[in-house]
Amino acid sequence: MLILYKLPVTGSCSCAGIMGVMLGGGHGYLQGLYGFPADQILELRVVLANGTLVTASSEVNEDLFWGLRGAGHNLGIVTHTKYRLYSSGPRWSQIRLVFSGSQLEEVFTLSNDYLSVDHHPAGLILWYVFGRRPDLASEVSCSF
Amino acid sequence: MDLIYRGDLAQLENFSSEFLALGGLEVSKYSEIDYPDLYKLNGIDETSIFCKKGYYRHAFGSYLRQHNPEALRAVYNIFSNVTAKYPDVGETSVFVIEGYPLQAAVAIPEEATAKPYRDYPILLYVSRSHR
């Protein structure tokens, strides 16, 4: 079944919501393709500390607009945001590899090669988690 | 580790070939994933221990330009030993390394917004959830 939807640039954890993430910059799966969540903001309505409600955009209150995209938590209460959406585009794929600690140096040495733009296309994210895997053999202890 | 890609699995397998060649303990492959479903698959949706209501969370993040295998070995050993000694910590803690592409992020000049450090590809942190 083909599902079409519009996509915001969200962070990499759904419980963080979108607004707080945008005000601090944010990181997420779409970073290489479209930038940070903060980069999608076109306009905000903000209640300042003196109680006034203002608009910030590239055309009005430009300094405030600059600060809201990356340091926005410090500057007021955002009540309304206009931001870019994108078409959903291709669906995603994922490969999950589980390594034991004995391969740590191999994996991260190889991973450094992947940091160059040649090896790291805009739509690819590499994610590593050290965690306990009690279901694996006892000598493995932690996997990543 | 996970390689997460916007595109088809055959292309991702091509990009991942050197990692796949390392072997490892397990390999799983997923395709035709809709964007909202990435969160559940990666254990960071509202039902996960790292997101669900009722917990306190601590997380301490750093940006890096590249991986340091020697330092990561030290981190891995500490994580392994501490979580072996305190199993409840092991159940609720992770050390995460997020490796992001940068193309669109660095296309915007750093002075254009208050967001600094556009060109660091790695964000890493330890995180624990507890009641």
Side-chain angles (χ1 to χ4, degrees):
Chain A
M1 183 176 73
L2 182 65
I3 301 172
L4 294 172
Y5 46 88
K6 291 294 184 187
L7 204 59
V9 175
T10 57
S12 53
C13 181
S14 56
C15 58
I18 193 164
M19 202 59 242
V21 172
M22 280 186 162
L23 293 175
H27 291 285
Y29 301 122
L30 297 167
Q31 182 169 313
L33 293 163
Y34 303 130
F36 301 120
D39 296 334
Q40 316 310 318
I41 298 173
L42 298 169
E43 183 183 284
L44 304 112
R45 294 279 283 160
V46 191
V47 179
L48 302 178
N50 63 11
T52 58
L53 176 62
V54 301
T55 297
S57 70
S58 58
E59 282 150 21
V60 60
N61 292 315
E62 297 93 326
D63 284 350
L64 179 61
F65 188 57
W66 180 90
L68 285 162
R69 292 169 298 143
H73 309 98
N74 305 316
L75 301 173
I77 309 287
V78 173
T79 61
H80 183 266
T81 316
K82 187 193 291 185
Y83 57 86
R84 287 189 195 87
L85 298 177
Y86 300 86
S87 61
S88 53
R91 284 166 137 172
W92 295 68
S93 310
Q94 183 159 334
I95 293 178
R96 173 162 291 157
L97 300 161
V98 177
F99 295 103
S100 76
S102 63
Q103 289 190 279
L104 182 144
E105 283 81 359
E106 270 187 295
V107 172
F108 286 105
T109 300
L110 177 58
S111 297
N112 275 333
D113 291 342
Y114 273 70
L115 296 174
S116 70
V117 171
D118 293 343
H119 264 117
H120 201 158
L124 177 66
I125 293 92
L126 277 68
W127 194 284
Y128 315 78
V129 179
F130 295 177
R132 291 229 138 244
R133 282 286 303 272
D135 56 317
L136 294 175
S138 58
E139 66 268 19
V140 172
S141 73
C142 282
S143 67
F144 67 97
Chain B
M1 76 174 280
D2 288 274
L3 296 105
I4 306 164
Y5 178 62
R6 191 171 91 158
D8 63 52
L9 184 58
Q11 272 188 306
L12 177 58
E13 284 170 327
N14 195 32
F15 290 132
S16 311
S17 59
E18 291 173 90
F19 287 106
L20 289 163
L22 293 179
L25 299 172
E26 290 176 5
V27 180
S28 311
K29 298 181 183 179
Y30 308 87
S31 61
E32 300 298 316
I33 307 164
D34 286 311
Y35 183 81
D37 298 326
L38 288 172
Y39 293 88
K40 179 91 177 151
L41 179 58
N42 288 288
I44 41 176
D45 68 321
E46 289 87 9
T47 66
S48 85
I49 185 75
F50 304 108
C51 273
K52 63 185 180 184
K53 287 187 187 300
Y55 287 79
Y56 294 100
R57 291 187 177 87
H58 304 274
F60 307 93
S62 297
Y63 285 135
L64 292 177
R65 293 203 184 278
Q66 59 178 27
H67 302 285
N68 181 330
E70 196 179 319
L72 287 166
R73 165 58 63 191
V75 169
Y76 177 88
N77 288 346
I78 292 168
F79 185 89
S80 182
N81 294 335
V82 169
T83 57
K85 189 172 178 183
Y86 302 104
D88 61 319
V89 174
E91 285 164 18
T92 56
S93 303
V94 282
F95 184 82
V96 182
I97 304 159
E98 301 178 3
Y100 289 107
L102 296 176
Q103 289 88 335
V106 299
I108 295 170
E110 193 145 306
E111 57 271 18
T113 75
K115 165 81 180 84
Y117 309 130
R118 286 186 170 269
D119 60 344
Y120 282 79
I122 297 164
L123 171 63
L124 55 69
Y125 52 92
V126 65
S127 173
R128 180 169 178 233
S129 304
H130 66 98
R131 289 197 182 279

